[in-house]
Amino acid sequence: MHAENLTKPLTQLEHRDEFIGRHIGPDEHVIAGMLAAIGTATLSTLISETVPATIRLQRPLALPAPMPEHAALAALKAIAAKNVLKKSLIGQGYYGTHTPPVILRNLFENPGWYTAYTPYQAEIAQGRLEALLNYQQMVIDLTGLEIANASLLDEATAAAEAMTMARRISKAKGNVFFVDEAAFPQTIDVIKTRAAYFGFELVFGPPEAAAQYEPFGALLQYPNARGEISDLTTAIAMIKGKGGVVAVASDLMALVLLKSPGDMGADIALGSSQRFGVPMGFGGPHAAFFATREAHVRSMPGRIIGVSKDARGKTAYRMALQTREQHIRREKANSNICTSQVLLANIAGMYAVWHGPEGLRTIAGRIHRLTALLAGGLGVTGRDFFDTFEVKVGAGDTAKYMKAAVDAGYNLRQVDAETLGISLDETTTREDVAALLKIFGKNTPVEALDAARPAAIPVTLQRREPILAHPVFNTHHTEHGMLRYLKRLQNRDLALDHAMIPLGSCTMKLNAAAEMIPVSWPEFAQMHPFVPLDQAQGYLELITGLEDQLKAITGFDAVCMQPNSGAQGEYAGLVSIRRYQNANGQSHRNICLIPKSAHGTNPATAQMCGLEVVAVACDDSGNVDVADLKAKAEQHAANLSCLMITYPSTHGVFEEAIKEICTIIHASGGQVYMDGANLNAQVGLCRPADIGADVSHINLHKTFAIPHGGGGPGMGPIGLKAHLAPFMANHVVQGIAGPHDGQGAVSAAPWGSASILPISWMYMTMMGGAGLTRATEIAILNANYVAAKLKDHYPVLYTGSQGRVAHECILDVRAIKAATGVAETDIAKRLMDYGFHAPTVSFPVGGTLMVEPTESEDKAELDRFCAAMIAIRDEIRRIENGEWTLDASPLKHAPHTEADVIGDWTRPYSREQAVFPLPWVAENKFWPYVNRIDDVYGDRNLFCGCVPMEDYA
């Protein structure tokens, strides 16, 4: 033992800041060497050279000191204990479910699944792509439609997307969109918000009344909010006969037994897949399903997984039809969606794989039988339903029965002064039915009620066609089988558990185990979003605490936690601006200025809010052209709504004119929306509100450690200044107290994906203000270190006035491409052979690679990545000097698979050069499962379901 440890102060021995060193990669011993490589003396000097002095925060963040992991977990457990768990029979799109333990442990809680990124590099994402294809096939089978996407954010926003899709494909010329009066209230709430800025007229009524309005589209609910089921075939035919497009919001578990929307003639089917093994989580995250007819596939929002071939002709999966996305189409995109709910979709799909068609029929049959027993015992007759019904209890008696139910451990739904709603689910037992009957003063034994085998699904509504016939749904029903299937898929994907993922603008930082553990706690996972709030005091304390932390970090006066993705945060922020301007007689303000460097979601979001996009030029250094901005702000001053700007810029630099830019917009009467995609470079060093932003979204899945889940979930809360706070989103079912009372929702649940908020709370609590600031400084250090190591091999496209980048750097490949034909895509694929995921390809500038190492990667990992990039540059030089032709080079054949190693070899480079290009690669070799995938073949031969087994032969 070192004697010094015996004399240290107790505060040092307590090591309350230990987690900071666990999260941040470089330690004090290597930072000096990294600074020397960059060419600066101290970390504080580097920050001064990077962040403009005019915006620097001159005081420490007003946050508590860091807390060690065990103490933070104990503190959060005490908060969680304030939640009171009842069996919630509230329904309305949220239901109790059992997550199969084999899926919980090996997928939901597995970093090999939850730390991956969106599968843009498909060759190293074949596992989750296959899992998503399973999910899509499940949705196709149950909805009776031809094609499904890989999930949307939630049921309500999926319904809103269906409305705008209907307008794109409808032949009707009117402006009316019809909504089933018995749709879920939160869905209606979101549709009202969305319709307002598209100028659609909403009409409500029963399905059979829809056609008389000659709508361009209609949303019908089946089963509806009252639990009723009816054959919608005639209503759908009448709407379509007038040129309308029909979307049916439905329930996957109900569709196991019910006639499908496709069979009724629907054009679109949507809903939540939550009850397929995904906990309610106080509202999310959950994967919304969305299916349509193949003729409409190019108008469908969201990502679609398709089947293609690799260079050897092997079946391979990829994201199909990517030219539909907002990255490319910008304001002309189908939607501003830039993510899905991949982790949750994979859970739902694996739930179907685990149970198979017979297992699902058993679960659905049990739910329906217990519902029929309860309804019969309560004297509810003559109704058709699946799992939900309403019961009249007498005028003024609902409160009495609601209280009796709560006292017995159940939450029911109050419909009105004399009506209660009850929804049963997978977790309901016969003992629950008996307890519920007793609450209502009924004592008939469940066994006696069951003697008649009651059912409430008429023959005409019973499903006749088979479901889930593909072998994948009929194979993995033992735990060994399922465990090994999940492991087999996991092995095909590169995630953060294998190597750094240096994607620019994505912030793939550590998702620490201590941050993730609370997500599975029942106190957070099992709560319905519409419970009485006295049962959710733990959640409210968590959310309030998180809001206070975010206010301190951003400088904003208010925080809205409802947006459940970054794109939703953008939308929520612009909606707040538009509501504020409308309330102040400025509804004519409809011009949105956006720099040409902006992320594609910005213009897509602006058009969703009814704004006209005016592009602002950038100068040769990648900064906003202030003169062009000023000219356009003055030109449009009378109608200027806002500026959308990312800071630091998407070009990876802190623009020194940012405060002037904000002043110009405010002088012309506009508001400043700051895209929070790059907040990881600001925390503790500067604050958006101090800079001049009026509203900004905050990517909790980037800056605040929520994992990307392979392409979702995420959270995009917004910070707002006081004048905008009264106009932020609220909720029609679970209203949130505050100045924004009565405002419409942007997401299905009041607090978005609430069950993943503990991750960010844990991160901020364990880091403390000093740790968060240190993380930002090291993120900037790591990016500048990578830029310094690579600049002699790949030009760094943009830097600040003192030659520094922010938290990411753009490597310019255009000259290489012009000289050799080697494209940025070739470098991306070759990096797979070195065991790395590529940086962001061709964004925000074509022909470039954008690298963001984050603060969590240590120097050794950065050096390995740089060594790989330099080795690839040396390979390119062998093309330049004529040693290799481009087509015979390892760059064009990358990635290399095990099949390459064992096959015939006629290439001018060795097998070792192909698969073990540097000595350390063999120590931790990641083998891509397929060779380079043919994207064109996949789009020309679109197939988006499970592949027939003979194709694998």
Side-chain angles (χ1 to χ4, degrees), residues 28 33 160 316 327 364 470 515 562 593 623 645 725 781 844 878 940:
E28 296 300 331
H327 305 291
H470 190 276
E515 295 156 5
Q562 191 174 116
L593 301 182
N623 300 313
I645 189 166
L781 170 66
R878 296 173 77 170
R940 287 180 177 172

Side-chain angles (χ1 to χ4, degrees), residues 807-881:
H807 64 306
E808 58 192 4
C809 60
I810 299 175
L811 305 178
D812 195 350
V813 185
R814 290 173 294 182
I816 290 173
K817 186 175 183 178
T820 67
V822 173
E824 62 279 6
T825 302
D826 299 319
I827 297 172
K829 303 306 181 187
R830 182 59 173 149
L831 270 170
M832 298 175 189
D833 292 326
Y834 289 80
F836 285 106
H837 193 290
T840 300
V841 176
S842 287
F843 174 83
V845 179
T848 66
L849 298 168
M850 183 160 62
V851 182
E852 182 184 359
T854 84
E855 72 276 9
S856 298
E857 300 301 338
D858 62 18
K859 180 177 179 293
E861 186 74 352
L862 300 180
D863 286 342
R864 280 189 291 269
F865 172 74
C866 291
M869 289 293 291
I870 292 168
I872 291 171
R873 184 66 185 94
D874 288 339
E875 292 174 350
I876 295 170
R877 291 188 179 100
R878 296 173 77 170
I879 299 171
E880 288 172 330
N881 65 28

Side-chain angles (χ1 to χ4, degrees), residues 550-558 687-690 720-721:
L550 293 174
K551 288 177 193 175
I553 289 166
T554 63
F556 287 112
D557 303 301
R687 305 194 305 177
D690 298 342
L720 312 94
K721 285 191 173 173

Side-chain angles (χ1 to χ4, degrees), residues 332-351:
K332 297 178 182 178
N334 291 343
S335 168
N336 75 335
I337 291 171
C338 67
T339 191
S340 48
Q341 299 280 27
V342 167
L343 188 68
L344 300 314
N346 283 339
I347 293 171
M350 288 303 173
Y351 180 93

Side-chain angles (χ1 to χ4, degrees), residues 513-695:
E515 295 156 5
M516 300 302 298
I517 287 171
V519 177
S520 299
W521 289 349
E523 299 95 325
F524 290 134
Q526 304 298 337
M527 183 157 284
H528 194 289
F530 303 154
V531 298
L533 289 181
D534 61 355
Q535 296 175 21
Q537 290 304 299
Y539 253 121
L540 297 184
E541 182 176 335
L542 166 78
I543 292 166
T544 300
L546 192 55
E547 289 173 350
D548 289 342
Q549 290 170 319
L550 293 174
K551 288 177 193 175
I553 289 166
T554 63
F556 287 112
D557 303 301
V559 170
C560 174
M561 292 302 247
Q562 191 174 116
N564 52 5
S565 79
Q568 281 287 85
E570 290 183 22
Y571 179 71
L574 290 196
V575 165
S576 299
I577 289 173
R578 297 232 67 190
R579 287 172 174 169
Y580 164 77
Q581 290 171 336
N582 290 346
N584 285 277
Q586 300 176 344
S587 58
H588 60 280
R589 291 190 173 272
N590 68 338
I591 299 297
C592 179
L593 301 182
I594 302 179
K596 291 182 178 179
S597 62
H599 195 283
T601 54
N602 288 179
T605 301
Q607 67 85 23
M608 288 172 62
C609 291
L611 296 171
E612 179 185 337
V613 174
V614 174
V616 177
C618 293
D619 63 23
D620 292 341
S621 298
N623 300 313
V624 171
D625 185 325
V626 176
D628 187 55
L629 174 84
K630 186 173 184 180
K632 285 172 177 170
E634 292 174 352
Q635 176 188 350
H636 298 287
N639 297 307
L640 180 62
S641 174
C642 58
L643 165 75
M644 298 185 79
I645 189 166
T646 303
Y647 199 73
S649 76
T650 311
H651 288 153
V653 294
F654 281 92
E655 300 192 44
E656 296 185 3
I658 185 63
K659 293 193 89 167
E660 180 186 357
I661 287 169
C662 294
T663 299
I664 289 169
I665 298 303
H666 290 143
S668 293
Q671 301 286 301
V672 175
Y673 173 88
M674 185 173 285
D675 187 311
N678 294 338
L679 188 62
N680 206 52
Q682 287 196 51
V683 177
L685 303 181
C686 56
R687 305 194 305 177
D690 298 342
I691 292 169
D694 298 289
V695 58

Side-chain angles (χ1 to χ4, degrees), residues 198-210:
F198 283 111
F200 299 153
E201 178 187 353
L202 297 180
V203 174
F204 299 88
E208 57 272 18

Side-chain angles (χ1 to χ4, degrees), residues 13 26 46 70 153 160 235 259 306 346 367 408 431 525 601 660 665 727 791 849 870 893:
L13 294 173
L46 173 65
H70 66 276
L153 296 173
K259 184 178 181 180
N346 283 339
I367 293 169
E431 291 76 16
T601 54
E660 180 186 357
I665 298 303
F727 304 97
K791 64 185 173 70
L849 298 168
I870 292 168
H893 285 288

